[in-house]
Amino acid sequence: MSAKCKNCGAPIDGSGDPPRGRAPCPRCGSVSRAYSVSLVEGVKAGDHYAKEHQRNGERIGFSESPRDGLASYGFKEDTGELRFGLEGAPPQGEQDTLAVCNTLILRLNQEGADWSLPVESDGDVDGLSTSSSKPNERLLIQVVRAVSDPDLWKKLASSGKVSEENRTSRDLVADLKSAIEHKADERRIPRRRRGDLVLALDASRLPAHALDVTVASFRDEHATWAGSLGFQAIWLVGPSVSLTTRLC
């Protein structure tokens, strides 16, 4: 099932709706919806499903069928350890970049902002959005993969499948820290430029990195350090609006 704003036709990610009511459309602010459902042989709706798993209010897992040719999952075990996996073709180049920006915009608008749908930009800006209430105000987003280690993506490309088990939250936090360090290199983004940028860590294919336990561990260990780097903000963008969280 897909949803669009009934007023302006913008696509809506329904996973970002609060428990009661609906989040406003990021383009026009309307809460009206138009839904469409595709049926195959009368039993299958659409071609993609995603499921978030919670226990006592804690987000402990996420799984989805192939999205653009790549399926993913991530879970926190009862032992506290984490496992995650990918199956399919790795995303190519900037394939996911604008979708990550869009998820971040939906999350910000859920908190009361009024940013427009992001558009591609150039240089160190991957996504650009403007405020409908303050036309001169812009949001500049730089995206980096939450796991910058090329070995994971090379393995996925060669075998079509990656499975990791018995990982700790500190292991995954180390991935996030490494990704931030990659962009905080003075040769890539000078400190004088960072104050204009929101850094978005792309965990849209790595849901275990966006679970509550990973976010809490990062904040405990590195929030002060991350905040000292000079970015306007650093966000972790998961596969859904509800798994998108500000790190500092």
PDB file of all heavy atoms in Angstrom, residues 73-104:
ATOM      1  N   TYR A  73      17.936  -6.657   7.247  1.00  0.00           N
ATOM      2  CA  TYR A  73      17.360  -6.881   8.570  1.00  0.00           C
ATOM      3  C   TYR A  73      18.397  -6.519   9.624  1.00  0.00           C
ATOM      4  O   TYR A  73      19.608  -6.484   9.352  1.00  0.00           O
ATOM      5  CB  TYR A  73      16.907  -8.339   8.757  1.00  0.00           C
ATOM      6  CG  TYR A  73      18.034  -9.349   8.796  1.00  0.00           C
ATOM      7  CD1 TYR A  73      18.749  -9.599   9.974  1.00  0.00           C
ATOM      8  CD2 TYR A  73      18.396 -10.050   7.650  1.00  0.00           C
ATOM      9  CE1 TYR A  73      19.782 -10.521  10.005  1.00  0.00           C
ATOM     10  CE2 TYR A  73      19.427 -10.974   7.671  1.00  0.00           C
ATOM     11  CZ  TYR A  73      20.126 -11.207   8.856  1.00  0.00           C
ATOM     12  OH  TYR A  73      21.164 -12.116   8.880  1.00  0.00           O
ATOM     13  N   GLY A  74      17.929  -6.237  10.828  1.00  0.00           N
ATOM     14  CA  GLY A  74      18.811  -5.983  11.969  1.00  0.00           C
ATOM     15  C   GLY A  74      18.045  -6.215  13.244  1.00  0.00           C
ATOM     16  O   GLY A  74      16.907  -5.755  13.376  1.00  0.00           O
ATOM     17  N   PHE A  75      18.642  -6.959  14.188  1.00  0.00           N
ATOM     18  CA  PHE A  75      17.960  -7.316  15.428  1.00  0.00           C
ATOM     19  C   PHE A  75      18.901  -7.258  16.629  1.00  0.00           C
ATOM     20  O   PHE A  75      20.094  -7.564  16.517  1.00  0.00           O
ATOM     21  CB  PHE A  75      17.379  -8.740  15.337  1.00  0.00           C
ATOM     22  CG  PHE A  75      16.239  -8.879  14.381  1.00  0.00           C
ATOM     23  CD1 PHE A  75      16.447  -9.286  13.077  1.00  0.00           C
ATOM     24  CD2 PHE A  75      14.945  -8.567  14.780  1.00  0.00           C
ATOM     25  CE1 PHE A  75      15.399  -9.405  12.188  1.00  0.00           C
ATOM     26  CE2 PHE A  75      13.884  -8.686  13.896  1.00  0.00           C
ATOM     27  CZ  PHE A  75      14.109  -9.108  12.599  1.00  0.00           C
ATOM     28  N   LYS A  76      18.328  -6.898  17.757  1.00  0.00           N
ATOM     29  CA  LYS A  76      18.995  -7.037  19.043  1.00  0.00           C
ATOM     30  C   LYS A  76      18.521  -8.333  19.677  1.00  0.00           C
ATOM     31  O   LYS A  76      17.328  -8.558  19.838  1.00  0.00           O
ATOM     32  CB  LYS A  76      18.644  -5.849  19.951  1.00  0.00           C
ATOM     33  CG  LYS A  76      19.196  -5.971  21.367  1.00  0.00           C
ATOM     34  CD  LYS A  76      18.650  -4.853  22.253  1.00  0.00           C
ATOM     35  CE  LYS A  76      19.059  -5.056  23.704  1.00  0.00           C
ATOM     36  NZ  LYS A  76      18.463  -4.020  24.590  1.00  0.00           N
ATOM     37  N   GLU A  77      19.455  -9.214  20.016  1.00  0.00           N
ATOM     38  CA  GLU A  77      19.114 -10.490  20.625  1.00  0.00           C
ATOM     39  C   GLU A  77      18.816 -10.316  22.112  1.00  0.00           C
ATOM     40  O   GLU A  77      19.119  -9.284  22.715  1.00  0.00           O
ATOM     41  CB  GLU A  77      20.273 -11.482  20.430  1.00  0.00           C
ATOM     42  CG  GLU A  77      20.700 -11.670  18.990  1.00  0.00           C
ATOM     43  CD  GLU A  77      19.744 -12.547  18.205  1.00  0.00           C
ATOM     44  OE1 GLU A  77      18.570 -12.696  18.621  1.00  0.00           O
ATOM     45  OE2 GLU A  77      20.160 -13.066  17.166  1.00  0.00           O
ATOM     46  N   ASP A  78      18.252 -11.344  22.719  1.00  0.00           N
ATOM     47  CA  ASP A  78      17.976 -11.305  24.155  1.00  0.00           C
ATOM     48  C   ASP A  78      19.259 -11.158  24.964  1.00  0.00           C
ATOM     49  O   ASP A  78      19.238 -10.653  26.094  1.00  0.00           O
ATOM     50  CB  ASP A  78      17.233 -12.577  24.584  1.00  0.00           C
ATOM     51  CG  ASP A  78      15.822 -12.649  24.028  1.00  0.00           C
ATOM     52  OD1 ASP A  78      15.292 -11.587  23.638  1.00  0.00           O
ATOM     53  OD2 ASP A  78      15.259 -13.753  23.969  1.00  0.00           O
ATOM     54  N   THR A  79      20.383 -11.595  24.398  1.00  0.00           N
ATOM     55  CA  THR A  79      21.683 -11.477  25.074  1.00  0.00           C
ATOM     56  C   THR A  79      22.225 -10.054  25.025  1.00  0.00           C
ATOM     57  O   THR A  79      23.210  -9.741  25.697  1.00  0.00           O
ATOM     58  CB  THR A  79      22.700 -12.409  24.415  1.00  0.00           C
ATOM     59  OG1 THR A  79      22.855 -12.034  23.031  1.00  0.00           O
ATOM     60  CG2 THR A  79      22.264 -13.860  24.504  1.00  0.00           C
ATOM     61  N   GLY A  80      21.598  -9.204  24.210  1.00  0.00           N
ATOM     62  CA  GLY A  80      22.090  -7.846  24.020  1.00  0.00           C
ATOM     63  C   GLY A  80      22.960  -7.698  22.789  1.00  0.00           C
ATOM     64  O   GLY A  80      23.266  -6.574  22.376  1.00  0.00           O
ATOM     65  N   GLU A  81      23.390  -8.832  22.212  1.00  0.00           N
ATOM     66  CA  GLU A  81      24.197  -8.765  20.998  1.00  0.00           C
ATOM     67  C   GLU A  81      23.315  -8.442  19.784  1.00  0.00           C
ATOM     68  O   GLU A  81      22.090  -8.586  19.841  1.00  0.00           O
ATOM     69  CB  GLU A  81      24.932 -10.090  20.775  1.00  0.00           C
ATOM     70  CG  GLU A  81      25.968 -10.369  21.858  1.00  0.00           C
ATOM     71  CD  GLU A  81      26.673 -11.686  21.642  1.00  0.00           C
ATOM     72  OE1 GLU A  81      26.011 -12.657  21.214  1.00  0.00           O
ATOM     73  OE2 GLU A  81      27.891 -11.758  21.911  1.00  0.00           O
ATOM     74  N   LEU A  82      23.957  -8.018  18.721  1.00  0.00           N
ATOM     75  CA  LEU A  82      23.240  -7.585  17.532  1.00  0.00           C
ATOM     76  C   LEU A  82      23.613  -8.445  16.332  1.00  0.00           C
ATOM     77  O   LEU A  82      24.732  -8.936  16.223  1.00  0.00           O
ATOM     78  CB  LEU A  82      23.562  -6.124  17.227  1.00  0.00           C
ATOM     79  CG  LEU A  82      23.032  -5.137  18.272  1.00  0.00           C
ATOM     80  CD1 LEU A  82      24.017  -4.001  18.466  1.00  0.00           C
ATOM     81  CD2 LEU A  82      21.689  -4.582  17.860  1.00  0.00           C
ATOM     82  N   ARG A  83      22.639  -8.611  15.443  1.00  0.00           N
ATOM     83  CA  ARG A  83      22.898  -9.289  14.171  1.00  0.00           C
ATOM     84  C   ARG A  83      22.219  -8.508  13.064  1.00  0.00           C
ATOM     85  O   ARG A  83      21.188  -7.873  13.271  1.00  0.00           O
ATOM     86  CB  ARG A  83      22.392 -10.730  14.194  1.00  0.00           C
ATOM     87  CG  ARG A  83      20.893 -10.885  14.400  1.00  0.00           C
ATOM     88  CD  ARG A  83      20.510 -12.362  14.481  1.00  0.00           C
ATOM     89  NE  ARG A  83      19.103 -12.537  14.829  1.00  0.00           N
ATOM     90  CZ  ARG A  83      18.113 -12.649  13.949  1.00  0.00           C
ATOM     91  NH1 ARG A  83      18.397 -12.616  12.650  1.00  0.00           N
ATOM     92  NH2 ARG A  83      16.869 -12.808  14.348  1.00  0.00           N
ATOM     93  N   PHE A  84      22.826  -8.544  11.894  1.00  0.00           N
ATOM     94  CA  PHE A  84      22.226  -7.861  10.756  1.00  0.00           C
ATOM     95  C   PHE A  84      22.652  -8.546   9.467  1.00  0.00           C
ATOM     96  O   PHE A  84      23.616  -9.319   9.445  1.00  0.00           O
ATOM     97  CB  PHE A  84      22.589  -6.371  10.727  1.00  0.00           C
ATOM     98  CG  PHE A  84      24.050  -6.060  10.524  1.00  0.00           C
ATOM     99  CD1 PHE A  84      24.576  -5.922   9.237  1.00  0.00           C
ATOM    100  CD2 PHE A  84      24.895  -5.883  11.603  1.00  0.00           C
ATOM    101  CE1 PHE A  84      25.914  -5.625   9.043  1.00  0.00           C
ATOM    102  CE2 PHE A  84      26.237  -5.579  11.422  1.00  0.00           C
ATOM    103  CZ  PHE A  84      26.758  -5.446  10.141  1.00  0.00           C
ATOM    104  N   GLY A  85      21.914  -8.283   8.421  1.00  0.00           N
ATOM    105  CA  GLY A  85      22.238  -8.897   7.150  1.00  0.00           C
ATOM    106  C   GLY A  85      21.667  -8.146   5.973  1.00  0.00           C
ATOM    107  O   GLY A  85      20.728  -7.346   6.110  1.00  0.00           O
ATOM    108  N   LEU A  86      22.240  -8.413   4.819  1.00  0.00           N
ATOM    109  CA  LEU A  86      21.819  -7.818   3.556  1.00  0.00           C
ATOM    110  C   LEU A  86      21.800  -8.915   2.505  1.00  0.00           C
ATOM    111  O   LEU A  86      22.659  -9.808   2.517  1.00  0.00           O
ATOM    112  CB  LEU A  86      22.798  -6.728   3.113  1.00  0.00           C
ATOM    113  CG  LEU A  86      22.948  -5.497   4.007  1.00  0.00           C
ATOM    114  CD1 LEU A  86      24.257  -4.782   3.703  1.00  0.00           C
ATOM    115  CD2 LEU A  86      21.785  -4.555   3.774  1.00  0.00           C
ATOM    116  N   GLU A  87      20.851  -8.844   1.602  1.00  0.00           N
ATOM    117  CA  GLU A  87      20.802  -9.810   0.514  1.00  0.00           C
ATOM    118  C   GLU A  87      20.302  -9.129  -0.747  1.00  0.00           C
ATOM    119  O   GLU A  87      19.235  -8.526  -0.756  1.00  0.00           O
ATOM    120  CB  GLU A  87      19.891 -10.986   0.865  1.00  0.00           C
ATOM    121  CG  GLU A  87      19.897 -12.084  -0.187  1.00  0.00           C
ATOM    122  CD  GLU A  87      19.193 -13.355   0.267  1.00  0.00           C
ATOM    123  OE1 GLU A  87      18.762 -13.404   1.448  1.00  0.00           O
ATOM    124  OE2 GLU A  87      19.072 -14.282  -0.557  1.00  0.00           O
ATOM    125  N   GLY A  88      21.117  -9.218  -1.801  1.00  0.00           N
ATOM    126  CA  GLY A  88      20.766  -8.591  -3.066  1.00  0.00           C
ATOM    127  C   GLY A  88      21.935  -7.828  -3.639  1.00  0.00           C
ATOM    128  O   GLY A  88      23.097  -8.133  -3.358  1.00  0.00           O
ATOM    129  N   ALA A  89      21.636  -6.819  -4.423  1.00  0.00           N
ATOM    130  CA  ALA A  89      22.667  -6.014  -5.079  1.00  0.00           C
ATOM    131  C   ALA A  89      22.938  -4.756  -4.264  1.00  0.00           C
ATOM    132  O   ALA A  89      22.004  -4.079  -3.828  1.00  0.00           O
ATOM    133  CB  ALA A  89      22.230  -5.638  -6.486  1.00  0.00           C
ATOM    134  N   PRO A  90      24.203  -4.410  -4.021  1.00  0.00           N
ATOM    135  CA  PRO A  90      24.507  -3.200  -3.247  1.00  0.00           C
ATOM    136  C   PRO A  90      24.063  -1.947  -3.973  1.00  0.00           C
ATOM    137  O   PRO A  90      24.048  -1.909  -5.215  1.00  0.00           O
ATOM    138  CB  PRO A  90      26.037  -3.250  -3.104  1.00  0.00           C
ATOM    139  CG  PRO A  90      26.502  -4.064  -4.261  1.00  0.00           C
ATOM    140  CD  PRO A  90      25.429  -5.081  -4.495  1.00  0.00           C
ATOM    141  N   PRO A  91      23.688  -0.891  -3.247  1.00  0.00           N
ATOM    142  CA  PRO A  91      23.322   0.372  -3.895  1.00  0.00           C
ATOM    143  C   PRO A  91      24.513   0.952  -4.641  1.00  0.00           C
ATOM    144  O   PRO A  91      25.655   0.855  -4.185  1.00  0.00           O
ATOM    145  CB  PRO A  91      22.883   1.261  -2.724  1.00  0.00           C
ATOM    146  CG  PRO A  91      23.513   0.650  -1.511  1.00  0.00           C
ATOM    147  CD  PRO A  91      23.602  -0.813  -1.778  1.00  0.00           C
ATOM    148  N   GLN A  92      24.247   1.531  -5.779  1.00  0.00           N
ATOM    149  CA  GLN A  92      25.302   2.069  -6.628  1.00  0.00           C
ATOM    150  C   GLN A  92      25.417   3.583  -6.466  1.00  0.00           C
ATOM    151  O   GLN A  92      24.420   4.297  -6.530  1.00  0.00           O
ATOM    152  CB  GLN A  92      25.026   1.727  -8.094  1.00  0.00           C
ATOM    153  CG  GLN A  92      24.957   0.240  -8.380  1.00  0.00           C
ATOM    154  CD  GLN A  92      26.270  -0.462  -8.072  1.00  0.00           C
ATOM    155  OE1 GLN A  92      27.333  -0.042  -8.530  1.00  0.00           O
ATOM    156  NE2 GLN A  92      26.195  -1.542  -7.295  1.00  0.00           N
ATOM    157  N   GLY A  93      26.648   4.045  -6.267  1.00  0.00           N
ATOM    158  CA  GLY A  93      26.900   5.480  -6.223  1.00  0.00           C
ATOM    159  C   GLY A  93      26.016   6.214  -5.233  1.00  0.00           C
ATOM    160  O   GLY A  93      25.960   5.889  -4.050  1.00  0.00           O
ATOM    161  N   GLU A  94      25.283   7.189  -5.751  1.00  0.00           N
ATOM    162  CA  GLU A  94      24.415   8.034  -4.926  1.00  0.00           C
ATOM    163  C   GLU A  94      22.958   7.560  -4.954  1.00  0.00           C
ATOM    164  O   GLU A  94      22.045   8.337  -4.711  1.00  0.00           O
ATOM    165  CB  GLU A  94      24.498   9.480  -5.420  1.00  0.00           C
ATOM    166  CG  GLU A  94      25.896  10.058  -5.457  1.00  0.00           C
ATOM    167  CD  GLU A  94      26.500  10.157  -4.069  1.00  0.00           C
ATOM    168  OE1 GLU A  94      25.787  10.600  -3.143  1.00  0.00           O
ATOM    169  OE2 GLU A  94      27.672   9.791  -3.899  1.00  0.00           O
ATOM    170  N   GLN A  95      22.753   6.272  -5.237  1.00  0.00           N
ATOM    171  CA  GLN A  95      21.405   5.740  -5.428  1.00  0.00           C
ATOM    172  C   GLN A  95      20.462   6.062  -4.275  1.00  0.00           C
ATOM    173  O   GLN A  95      19.302   6.408  -4.486  1.00  0.00           O
ATOM    174  CB  GLN A  95      21.491   4.220  -5.613  1.00  0.00           C
ATOM    175  CG  GLN A  95      20.147   3.512  -5.697  1.00  0.00           C
ATOM    176  CD  GLN A  95      20.301   2.007  -5.812  1.00  0.00           C
ATOM    177  OE1 GLN A  95      21.286   1.510  -6.354  1.00  0.00           O
ATOM    178  NE2 GLN A  95      19.333   1.268  -5.280  1.00  0.00           N
ATOM    179  N   ASP A  96      20.942   5.941  -3.045  1.00  0.00           N
ATOM    180  CA  ASP A  96      20.073   6.128  -1.876  1.00  0.00           C
ATOM    181  C   ASP A  96      20.104   7.539  -1.306  1.00  0.00           C
ATOM    182  O   ASP A  96      19.358   7.848  -0.370  1.00  0.00           O
ATOM    183  CB  ASP A  96      20.478   5.148  -0.769  1.00  0.00           C
ATOM    184  CG  ASP A  96      20.126   3.712  -1.093  1.00  0.00           C
ATOM    185  OD1 ASP A  96      19.224   3.498  -1.922  1.00  0.00           O
ATOM    186  OD2 ASP A  96      20.756   2.800  -0.522  1.00  0.00           O
ATOM    187  N   THR A  97      20.966   8.380  -1.833  1.00  0.00           N
ATOM    188  CA  THR A  97      21.239   9.667  -1.183  1.00  0.00           C
ATOM    189  C   THR A  97      20.001  10.542  -1.032  1.00  0.00           C
ATOM    190  O   THR A  97      19.706  11.044   0.062  1.00  0.00           O
ATOM    191  CB  THR A  97      22.326  10.430  -1.956  1.00  0.00           C
ATOM    192  OG1 THR A  97      23.540   9.668  -1.940  1.00  0.00           O
ATOM    193  CG2 THR A  97      22.591  11.788  -1.329  1.00  0.00           C
ATOM    194  N   LEU A  98      19.269  10.750  -2.101  1.00  0.00           N
ATOM    195  CA  LEU A  98      18.115  11.647  -2.019  1.00  0.00           C
ATOM    196  C   LEU A  98      17.011  11.047  -1.158  1.00  0.00           C
ATOM    197  O   LEU A  98      16.302  11.778  -0.446  1.00  0.00           O
ATOM    198  CB  LEU A  98      17.586  11.953  -3.415  1.00  0.00           C
ATOM    199  CG  LEU A  98      16.743  13.242  -3.526  1.00  0.00           C
ATOM    200  CD1 LEU A  98      17.555  14.449  -3.074  1.00  0.00           C
ATOM    201  CD2 LEU A  98      16.254  13.446  -4.949  1.00  0.00           C
ATOM    202  N   ALA A  99      16.872   9.709  -1.175  1.00  0.00           N
ATOM    203  CA  ALA A  99      15.881   9.058  -0.314  1.00  0.00           C
ATOM    204  C   ALA A  99      16.231   9.263   1.153  1.00  0.00           C
ATOM    205  O   ALA A  99      15.348   9.458   1.999  1.00  0.00           O
ATOM    206  CB  ALA A  99      15.802   7.572  -0.632  1.00  0.00           C
ATOM    207  N   VAL A 100      17.523   9.214   1.484  1.00  0.00           N
ATOM    208  CA  VAL A 100      17.965   9.465   2.861  1.00  0.00           C
ATOM    209  C   VAL A 100      17.630  10.896   3.265  1.00  0.00           C
ATOM    210  O   VAL A 100      17.125  11.148   4.369  1.00  0.00           O
ATOM    211  CB  VAL A 100      19.482   9.202   2.986  1.00  0.00           C
ATOM    212  CG1 VAL A 100      20.031   9.726   4.311  1.00  0.00           C
ATOM    213  CG2 VAL A 100      19.774   7.707   2.859  1.00  0.00           C
ATOM    214  N   CYS A 101      17.886  11.839   2.382  1.00  0.00           N
ATOM    215  CA  CYS A 101      17.551  13.244   2.657  1.00  0.00           C
ATOM    216  C   CYS A 101      16.051  13.406   2.887  1.00  0.00           C
ATOM    217  O   CYS A 101      15.620  14.142   3.787  1.00  0.00           O
ATOM    218  CB  CYS A 101      18.004  14.134   1.510  1.00  0.00           C
ATOM    219  SG  CYS A 101      19.796  14.234   1.280  1.00  0.00           S
ATOM    220  N   ASN A 102      15.261  12.711   2.082  1.00  0.00           N
ATOM    221  CA  ASN A 102      13.809  12.815   2.203  1.00  0.00           C
ATOM    222  C   ASN A 102      13.324  12.267   3.543  1.00  0.00           C
ATOM    223  O   ASN A 102      12.452  12.854   4.200  1.00  0.00           O
ATOM    224  CB  ASN A 102      13.132  12.065   1.061  1.00  0.00           C
ATOM    225  CG  ASN A 102      11.634  12.299   1.022  1.00  0.00           C
ATOM    226  OD1 ASN A 102      11.182  13.433   0.900  1.00  0.00           O
ATOM    227  ND2 ASN A 102      10.854  11.237   1.139  1.00  0.00           N
ATOM    228  N   THR A 103      13.888  11.129   3.973  1.00  0.00           N
ATOM    229  CA  THR A 103      13.517  10.567   5.276  1.00  0.00           C
ATOM    230  C   THR A 103      13.856  11.535   6.403  1.00  0.00           C
ATOM    231  O   THR A 103      13.076  11.717   7.343  1.00  0.00           O
ATOM    232  CB  THR A 103      14.233   9.225   5.502  1.00  0.00           C
ATOM    233  OG1 THR A 103      13.853   8.301   4.477  1.00  0.00           O
ATOM    234  CG2 THR A 103      13.871   8.627   6.854  1.00  0.00           C
ATOM    235  N   LEU A 104      15.020  12.163   6.311  1.00  0.00           N
ATOM    236  CA  LEU A 104      15.410  13.144   7.326  1.00  0.00           C
ATOM    237  C   LEU A 104      14.437  14.323   7.344  1.00  0.00           C
ATOM    238  O   LEU A 104      14.030  14.778   8.424  1.00  0.00           O
ATOM    239  CB  LEU A 104      16.830  13.625   7.059  1.00  0.00           C
ATOM    240  CG  LEU A 104      17.346  14.732   8.000  1.00  0.00           C
ATOM    241  CD1 LEU A 104      17.262  14.303   9.465  1.00  0.00           C
ATOM    242  CD2 LEU A 104      18.776  15.113   7.627  1.00  0.00           C
TER     243      LEU A 104
END
